[in-house]
Amino acid sequence: MNANRFAHFLAIDWSGAKGERQKGIALALAHGDGGAPVLIEHFWGRADVLAILRDELPEDTLVGLDLGIGLPFADCGAYFPGLPDTPPDAPALWDLIDKIAADEDHLGANSFVAHPDLRPFFRDGMDTGARFGCDGAAHGRGRFRVTEHAQAAMGCKPYSNFNLVGAAQVGKSSLTGMRMLHHLRGHLPVWPVDPLPPRGSVVVEIYTSLAAREAGRSAAKAKMRSYEDLNAALAALGSPGVAGEGPIDDHSSDALLTAAWLRAVAHDDARWTPVGLTPEIAATEGWTFGAL
């Protein structure tokens, strides 16, 4: 990987919340030529982000999306084992989610989870579906992708994308994000579902806790809620700090730190060739950039 392959690094803290706009979405941009990462101030909606990724990205941007780009597949040999039309790969999964949720505004995906054939695979509200586990196994924390096992080995605590319950769950974000990825087909490659192109922009999945861990923060203290903590973490990555003092919301701090982290590590070939990433896993489950 050429160290100068990307000129810009955009980190997006995503949200699966209902509504036209979400307080949990934050975008931050770091330039390849250095300087502090910059928060792109706006009250974002998912459709706004889709428009930027389709039509307004700076040249040669590495885009990090804080969401799961796939569902578990390898553990059971299918996303939805037993269903006759279970999708064979990630793009087909994205297409299915978008088709079922086509009548929902703002890239919502609630109707996908509510579909009678699919609901048994999810934990939602007070309901833990009978297929939340795999092959009749105890439900536990649900099914995990191979990359999420790699995250856990690095000291993180991932959540199953089939889990839609709790403040730390990422299932709703991931499903809405997969609708967006479907609308980006033909416009922007998504690694590793798509091969890394020799030039141009590309999307990767990120997990902001991985960036925080590499900036010297523990998994229990991955969230930074002050400018002082954020700037200490940025300094640990070799990045200039951002202006400000006192409190900062963790969505903004996650995006700012992860943009700087992407810039710091994107040239590392090991990030693009993790152990465990096979062609089959790439096509079905995807991978979290930085999970080794």
Side-chain angles (χ1 to χ4, degrees):
M1 170 64 64
N2 187 322
N4 298 317
R5 163 69 174 79
F6 296 104
H8 307 89
F9 303 87
L10 178 66
I12 302 174
D13 201 36
W14 188 251
S15 172
K18 294 181 180 179
E20 181 179 1
R21 301 189 182 280
Q22 289 77 34
K23 293 181 180 179
I25 295 179
L27 277 68
L29 185 69
H31 289 271
D33 57 2
V38 176
L39 190 69
I40 306 174
E41 301 279 0
H42 187 69
F43 187 15
W44 295 101
R46 289 185 288 265
D48 299 329
V49 179
L50 172 60
I52 284 180
L53 296 184
R54 282 185 60 146
D55 303 314
E56 302 174 34
L57 270 183
E59 284 188 350
D60 298 324
T61 298
L62 178 59
V63 179
L65 286 177
D66 186 25
L67 54 91
I69 63 173
L71 293 174
F73 189 102
D75 60 342
C76 296
Y79 300 119
F80 308 109
L83 293 189
D85 296 321
T86 186
D89 56 30
L93 173 65
W94 305 341
D95 178 66
L96 178 66
I97 296 169
D98 193 64
K99 283 180 177 175
I100 292 177
D103 292 336
E104 285 192 57
D105 294 331
H106 319 308
L107 296 176
N110 294 295
S111 53
F112 181 78
V113 177
H115 191 284
D117 290 340
L118 302 168
R119 187 169 181 79
F121 293 91
F122 290 91
R123 174 178 284 162
D124 188 20
M126 299 296 292
D127 180 22
T128 297
R131 307 297 299 277
F132 183 64
C134 188
D135 296 331
H139 288 141
R141 297 175 60 216
R143 297 169 56 194
F144 287 89
R145 297 180 295 160
V146 175
T147 189
E148 287 148 1
H149 290 296
Q151 294 171 16
M154 296 175 72
C156 296
K157 187 179 179 181
Y159 284 76
S160 171
N161 286 337
F162 282 114
N163 177 40
L164 311 179
V165 180
Q169 61 85 18
V170 294
K172 293 176 182 177
S173 294
S174 297
L175 293 172
T176 59
M178 285 183 241
R179 282 198 71 188
M180 181 173 70
L181 294 178
H182 173 70
H183 288 274
L184 286 174
R185 297 306 284 168
H187 295 271
L188 196 58
V190 179
W191 178 90
V193 176
D194 301 308
L196 181 65
R199 62 186 61 84
S201 298
V202 65
V203 169
V204 297
E205 172 185 328
I206 55 173
Y207 184 18
T208 58
S209 291
L210 285 177
R213 292 276 292 165
E214 293 198 38
R217 299 186 65 84
S218 68
K221 296 183 178 180
K223 295 298 182 184
M224 297 152 289
R225 296 183 172 89
S226 73
Y227 278 95
E228 291 75 16
D229 284 348
L230 169 61
N231 283 331
L234 286 170
L237 295 176
S239 171
V242 297
E245 59 183 21
I248 184 174
D249 69 273
D250 57 357
H251 305 295
S252 298
S253 64
D254 280 349
L256 286 162
L257 183 71
T258 308
W261 172 77
L262 285 171
R263 177 174 62 191
V265 304
H267 67 279
D268 181 1
D269 287 344
R271 310 288 176 158
W272 302 97
T273 56
V275 175
L277 179 58
T278 66
E280 293 76 17
I281 295 298
T284 55
E285 296 191 347
W287 199 265
T288 309
F289 183 75
L292 300 174

